[in-house]
Amino acid sequence: MQINKLKEEINNFSSDDKNPAEVFRIKFLGSHGSVKSLMGEMKNVAPENKREMGKVLNELKLFAENKWEELKKTTDDDKQQTTENGIDLTLPGDALQIGSRHPISIVRNKIVSIFQRLGFAVAEGPEIEDDWHNFTALNLPENHPARDMQDTFYVSQNPAWMLRTHTSSVQVREMEKGKLPIRIICPGRVYRNETISARAHCFFNQVEGLYIADNVSFADLKQTLYFFVQEMFGKEIKVRFRPSYFPFTEPSAEMDISCLICGGAGCNVCKHTGWVEILGCGMVHPNVLENCGIDSKKYTGFAFGMGIERITMLKYQIKDLRIFSENDLRFLKQFTSAV
Ligand SMILES: [Zn+2]
């Protein structure tokens, strides 16, 4: 009975000690251990039972020794997995949260890369502008009615400064450098004092483009933009140009693409017209060229501008542009795999 109990105790042995094998050895196999002392009882066993008893006790000793070996092995494994500082290397690490690009960045990068393939270079400029670069040089003299088209945030301490209403100001800065030909695109954030709604915000992102050289024609403009929308939205896309008015281009046009949702049949997104407006463009107004010191008799050029939010909303079927600036991870995480 005592042997069976001991066997069970050995089998169920566990210890919180750093070295359970050693605790086990002392408890059972050491000179004062329970297995050893049980063997000491042999002298009290009747001679006719000695042989049988010896066998049982030997088995018990072997059983205990096997358990000891087992414990030593796990202790050795633990030693390898635990550093001297007590850091448990087997614990799972803290998972790194993989971020994703903002959909506006994804689309801006795509637009930039398409135009870079056509030889356009990226130009950047300040977001706080003066009247000359934002308006006057672009053929919007003071009191020009077109200034009302763009509600502007002025710097209250100095109303001569404002938050740029378009990235055309970057084009002016490039033209003033006087290095021709010019072939640039200007991505950047712009600001307008508009009521925030699903379709308008007080800040948004634009990409504007400018190409000035000898003999640049409206045909060049059309082909460039046609290439862009095909690369951006697919080869099946159709385009149309509608006459429009901008103070800085003449002639001016707005470009529509065939609706991506209904393919031109008519739906809510295209207001049942089959067409969606995506950008404004035109030939650079001679006054603008002259304002920037470029001979308008010698050089011609085209310019275009589009809102990145609008392109992104069309590309990803996003219905409310306010969500772009709300930093809602449930929205942003959907673009983890987008490129
Ligand atoms: Zn449609």
Side-chain angles (χ1 to χ4, degrees):
M1 281 309 283
Q2 204 188 347
I3 289 169
N4 281 343
K5 207 178 150 208
L6 197 55
K7 212 168 175 180
E8 201 179 320
E9 214 179 304
I10 289 166
N11 199 31
N12 296 331
F13 175 85
S14 74
S15 167
D16 292 334
D17 195 272
K18 264 196 278 185
N19 192 348
E22 185 58 13
V23 176
F24 180 89
R25 191 191 64 79
I26 293 164
K27 186 167 181 194
F28 296 103
L29 298 170
S31 46
H32 301 290
S34 22
V35 175
K36 201 88 174 181
S37 57
L38 202 61
M39 297 197 83
E41 301 281 319
M42 276 291 279
K43 58 181 185 287
N44 304 326
V45 174
E48 66 270 24
N49 293 335
K50 265 200 160 76
R51 189 186 164 85
E52 182 63 19
M53 196 59 194
K55 202 179 157 201
V56 171
L57 282 177
N58 267 329
E59 267 175 23
L60 180 70
K61 190 171 167 244
L62 209 64
F63 185 72
E65 279 169 354
N66 281 341
K67 176 78 181 181
W68 182 44
E69 291 297 328
E70 217 174 89
L71 285 168
K72 275 202 291 190
K73 221 174 142 196
T74 53
T75 309
D76 285 349
D77 286 351
D78 281 352
K79 267 186 195 150
Q80 282 168 9
Q81 286 161 352
T82 308
T83 66
E84 284 178 3
N85 302 328
I87 299 166
D88 186 350
L89 301 179
T90 63
L91 284 174
D94 293 329
L96 282 176
Q97 289 266 346
I98 307 280
S100 59
R101 283 194 194 280
H102 193 281
I104 295 291
S105 302
I106 295 169
V107 170
R108 184 190 57 215
N109 292 350
K110 175 124 187 169
I111 295 170
V112 166
S113 81
I114 292 169
F115 283 106
Q116 278 179 331
R117 275 186 276 148
L118 290 172
F120 284 77
V122 173
E124 289 178 330
E127 292 187 16
I128 299 173
E129 267 297 1
D130 54 38
D131 181 273
W132 171 258
H133 291 99
N134 197 74
F135 289 129
T136 308
L138 290 159
N139 204 27
L140 286 92
E142 221 178 313
N143 303 323
H144 192 291
R147 289 198 184 207
D148 295 337
M149 287 162 61
Q150 302 181 348
D151 294 313
T152 310
F153 288 114
Y154 287 94
V155 176
S156 56
Q157 287 92 336
N158 185 356
W161 293 90
M162 66 201 70
L163 299 181
R164 67 182 178 193
T165 59
H166 45 202
T167 55
S168 311
S169 52
V170 183
Q171 301 184 355
V172 173
R173 289 176 179 278
E174 287 297 314
M175 285 188 278
E176 284 176 341
K177 288 179 186 167
K179 280 186 205 151
L180 290 157
I182 295 171
R183 191 153 49 186
I184 52 162
I185 45 167
C186 319
R189 190 150 42 183
V190 302
Y191 304 83
R192 290 183 196 177
N193 190 3
E194 294 201 39
T195 309
I196 295 167
S197 71
R199 299 175 67 84
H201 212 296
C202 57
F203 67 87
F204 59 99
N205 292 270
Q206 274 194 329
V207 176
E208 294 203 352
L210 177 70
Y211 177 36
I212 298 173
D214 298 320
N215 296 321
V216 176
S217 72
F218 204 91
D220 297 318
L221 167 65
K222 285 175 85 171
Q223 278 309 312
T224 302
L225 294 178
Y226 190 45
F227 175 82
F228 162 68
V229 292
Q230 284 196 321
E231 290 296 303
M232 193 74 202
F233 297 109
K235 298 286 179 206
E236 285 76 39
I237 212 85
K238 294 188 189 72
V239 299
R240 73 173 184 186
F241 290 81
R242 285 179 290 110
S244 185
Y245 167 76
F246 304 109
F248 27 79
T249 46
E250 180 61 36
S252 304
E254 278 175 72
M255 191 175 85
D256 299 342
I257 56 170
S258 49
C259 179
L260 298 161
I261 309 294
C262 63
C267 68
N268 284 336
V269 173
C270 59
K271 293 180 192 138
H272 303 281
T273 62
W275 296 96
V276 186
E277 181 198 325
I278 64 156
L279 59 81
C281 58
M283 300 305 291
V284 180
H285 198 291
N287 289 356
V288 174
L289 295 175
E290 297 294 339
N291 284 343
C292 300
I294 294 170
D295 185 350
S296 64
K297 302 273 186 307
K298 195 170 172 216
Y299 294 101
T300 51
F302 67 70
F304 57 86
M306 64 189 102
I308 301 176
E309 277 80 353
R310 179 154 186 79
I311 308 278
T312 310
M313 289 168 84
L314 285 171
K315 193 169 172 63
Y316 293 119
Q317 310 302 326
I318 296 163
K319 292 193 170 65
D320 189 331
L321 70 71
R322 288 172 290 195
I323 201 167
F324 288 131
S325 48
E326 282 172 356
N327 282 339
D328 188 336
L329 287 180
R330 291 169 300 176
F331 169 67
L332 297 172
K333 275 183 175 170
Q334 295 176 46
F335 297 90
T336 309
S337 60
V339 287

